Amino acid sequence: MAEKRIAVLASGRGTNLQSVIDGIKNGNINNAVLQLVVSDNERAYALERAMANGIEALWINPRTFKGSEDYNDAILEALRKRRIDLVVLAGYMKILSAAFVRAYRDAIINIHPSLIPSFCGSGYYGERVHREVLEYGVKVTGATVHFVDEGTDTGPIILQQAVEVLPEDTVDSLAKRVLRIEHILLPRAVDLYCRGCLRKEERRVIIEAN
Amino acid sequence: MAEKRIAVLASGRGTNLQSVIDGIKNGNINNAVLQLVVSDNERAYALERAMANGIEALWINPRTFKGSEDYNDAILEALRKRRIDLVVLAGYMKILSAAFVRAYRDAIINIHPSLIPSFCGSGYYGERVHREVLEYGVKVTGATVHFVDEGTDTGPIILQQAVEVLPEDTVDSLAKRVLRIEHILLPRAVDLYCRGCLRKEERRVIIEAN
C-alpha cells in the first residue's frame, strides 16, 4: 500500500501536531509522510514546529477570502495540489465547509478532549470543555479521536480513552492529564488509518489487524 | 451517627437490590439498615429477594391510584411511616413526582448504566442504553450513581466508572459487563451516604473520609 500523505490543520500551539511528528519519527506511525501543515493563524506555533521539522508550513489568511466556503476551497486546493490523503485536525478552530467534508469523506480525523457524546458540539472547545466537565461534576472524562462528518463532533469514533476526574482537579490540571491521553490516541489513530486498519460498519469504526 | 434506614424501589429482577443486601451483610455498607423494598410490579423478583432476606416487601399497585402524583404520595407515606432516610432506585421504572423528589432532596440515589451525561434522559433505560451505545459506536461506556433531582438522570453524580466497549460486544455482553460495575458502585455509594461521607458543592459531590 502506498504511503499516506498527511496534512495537519492547526490554529494554535500544535502539541497534537507534535505528537504526529514524533509518532512518524519514532516509528509509532507507519506508512505515512507528513507533507503539509496549514494554519489560519499566522502566529500559530504549529507553523514553527512544521518548519523546525522540515515540513511545508502554509498560512492561509482567512481575511483574504470572501467567506468560509471560499476559504475552505482554498485549503482544499492546497491539499489537492499536494495529493493529500488524510487531513488531521489538531486544535484547528475553524469549521470545515460541507464541500471540504465531502471531498475528504472518512479521511479527516479530529481529536476532542472529552468522551463524545458528552461535552461536545458547537461551542465546546479548549478549556471550555474541561470547565463544563468540572462544573457538571462528572467523575470520568477522557479523549476521543473521530472521523469528521458534517456535524460538530458527531462523526464515527475511532478511539476513546477514559480519564478520571480527581477531587482536587482544576481546569488546568485536568486539561493537562487529558492532553497526555490525546497525544497517545491521535498518533495511534493516524497509524491505524495509514496502515489501512480502519473499517466502518454503519457508525461503528472497526479496527482490524493488518 | 444514627443508622440510616434505607428503602429500595425496584420494578424488576432486583440484582442491584441484591448488591445492597449483600453489601450490608458482608460489611461493605456500614451504618445502614435495609428496612423496606417497594415495587410497582406485583411480580418483581425484587420482592422475592426482600422476603427471602427478611426485609419487608411492599407491592403498591399503581392501578389503584388516580394518577402518578397520588401514587407517589402513597409511596411517600409508606416511607415516612417507616422513617426512611435514604431511597435507592434499583431498576425502578416509574418517574418520581416533584413532591417525592422535594421530600427526599439529596436522599434519593439512582444507578444508570452509562457515563452520564451520555446515553441518559427520558427513554434511556435498560437494554435501550446499551443498544444506543453500540449503534453510536463509542469505545467507552460505564455506569453512574447519582442523586435524583427533578430531571431525568440530571442529578449530581456520586460515582462513575468506565467500561470498555469491545469489538465483539452485543447488547447482552455489554449489559452484563456494565452490570458488574453497577454492583460495585451502588453499594459503595450507599455506604458513603450512610457514613456521611458525601458533601455537595454546587453540582459536584465531594467524597470525604469520615
Side-chain angles (χ1 to χ4, degrees):
Chain A
M1 192 170 54
E3 238 178 17
K4 299 291 183 187
R5 298 165 65 86
I6 303 175
V8 172
L9 275 52
S11 302
R13 287 190 299 158
T15 69
N16 276 317
L17 161 65
Q18 190 65 49
S19 78
V20 175
I21 293 173
D22 294 345
I24 291 174
K25 267 192 197 161
N26 64 26
N28 284 340
I29 299 176
N30 299 279
N31 200 43
V33 54
L34 182 42
Q35 203 65 35
L36 175 68
V37 173
V38 180
S39 184
D40 57 313
N41 172 11
E42 187 179 9
R43 290 158 24 152
Y45 190 65
L47 293 174
E48 306 267 342
R49 287 186 202 266
M51 291 183 282
N53 287 277
I55 300 158
E56 186 184 4
L58 202 57
W59 169 48
I60 307 187
N61 185 352
R63 293 196 200 153
T64 60
F65 296 88
K66 262 183 299 183
S68 169
E69 288 198 20
D70 284 0
Y71 182 63
N72 273 269
D73 287 348
I75 300 178
L76 209 46
E77 201 194 316
L79 302 186
R80 281 176 168 153
K81 258 189 204 156
R82 291 156 184 86
R83 291 170 291 114
I84 296 299
D85 299 301
L86 172 66
V87 179
V88 176
L89 307 184
Y92 181 65
M93 304 299 275
K94 296 225 169 277
I95 299 292
L96 298 182
S97 67
F100 192 112
V101 172
R102 267 197 306 276
Y104 277 93
R105 169 81 57 204
D106 294 336
I108 310 169
I109 284 177
N110 183 43
I111 176 107
H112 183 81
S114 79
L115 287 180
I116 290 174
S118 283
F119 306 103
C120 67
S122 77
Y124 279 99
Y125 51 83
E127 288 209 339
R128 165 89 190 278
V129 175
H130 304 296
R131 197 161 51 242
E132 301 256 343
V133 159
L134 290 176
E135 278 170 13
Y136 196 105
V138 295
K139 306 293 186 180
V140 176
T141 183
T144 302
V145 187
H146 64 93
F147 284 121
V148 173
D149 66 9
E150 281 82 353
T152 305
D153 301 327
T154 54
I157 291 171
I158 302 167
L159 294 172
Q160 288 185 303
Q161 193 171 319
V163 173
E164 196 183 349
V165 180
L166 303 176
E168 63 273 20
D169 261 330
T170 60
V171 168
D172 260 16
S173 67
L174 185 57
K176 264 187 200 131
R177 234 164 43 256
V178 171
L179 193 59
R180 218 173 298 148
I181 301 305
E182 294 175 50
H183 294 165
I184 295 169
L185 294 191
L186 183 60
R188 192 180 294 163
V190 170
D191 175 62
L192 289 168
Y193 182 90
C194 293
R195 291 194 293 117
C197 297
L198 301 179
R199 185 169 54 81
K200 259 185 22 175
E201 267 180 20
E202 313 263 332
R203 279 191 54 87
R204 294 177 75 170
V205 178
I206 314 293
I207 298 170
E208 293 171 318
N210 240 3
Chain B
M1 193 170 55
E3 238 177 19
K4 298 291 183 187
R5 298 164 65 85
I6 303 175
V8 173
L9 274 53
S11 302
R13 288 188 298 158
T15 69
N16 276 316
L17 162 65
Q18 191 66 50
S19 78
V20 175
I21 293 172
D22 294 344
I24 291 176
K25 268 192 196 159
N26 64 27
N28 283 339
I29 299 177
N30 298 280
N31 199 43
V33 54
L34 182 41
Q35 203 64 36
L36 175 69
V37 172
V38 179
S39 184
D40 57 311
N41 172 11
E42 186 178 11
R43 292 166 12 162
Y45 190 64
L47 293 173
E48 306 266 343
R49 288 186 201 265
M51 291 184 282
N53 287 276
I55 300 158
E56 186 185 2
L58 201 58
W59 168 49
I60 307 187
N61 185 353
R63 294 197 200 152
T64 59
F65 296 88
K66 266 183 298 185
S68 169
E69 288 198 19
D70 284 1
Y71 182 63
N72 272 269
D73 288 347
I75 300 179
L76 209 45
E77 201 194 317
L79 302 186
R80 280 176 169 154
K81 258 189 203 156
R82 290 156 184 87
R83 292 172 291 115
I84 297 298
D85 299 301
L86 173 66
V87 178
V88 176
L89 308 184
Y92 181 65
M93 304 298 276
K94 294 225 170 277
I95 299 291
L96 298 182
S97 67
F100 193 113
V101 172
R102 267 197 306 276
Y104 278 93
R105 169 81 57 203
D106 294 336
I108 310 169
I109 284 177
N110 184 43
I111 177 108
H112 184 82
S114 79
L115 286 180
I116 290 174
S118 284
F119 306 104
C120 67
S122 77
Y124 279 99
Y125 51 82
E127 287 207 340
R128 166 88 190 279
V129 174
H130 304 296
R131 195 160 54 244
E132 300 256 344
V133 159
L134 291 175
E135 278 171 13
Y136 195 104
V138 295
K139 306 293 185 180
V140 175
T141 183
T144 302
V145 187
H146 64 93
F147 285 120
V148 173
D149 66 9
E150 281 82 352
T152 304
D153 300 328
T154 55
I157 292 169
I158 303 168
L159 295 172
Q160 290 187 301
Q161 193 171 319
V163 172
E164 196 183 349
V165 179
L166 302 176
E168 63 272 20
D169 261 329
T170 61
V171 169
D172 260 15
S173 67
L174 185 56
K176 265 190 198 130
R177 231 163 45 255
V178 171
L179 193 60
R180 218 174 297 147
I181 300 304
E182 295 175 51
H183 293 165
I184 295 169
L185 295 190
L186 183 59
R188 191 179 295 164
V190 170
D191 175 62
L192 290 169
Y193 182 91
C194 292
R195 291 194 293 117
C197 298
L198 300 179
R199 185 171 53 81
K200 258 185 22 177
E201 266 180 21
E202 315 263 330
R203 280 191 54 87
R204 293 176 77 170
V205 179
I206 315 292
I207 298 171
E208 292 171 320
N210 242 2

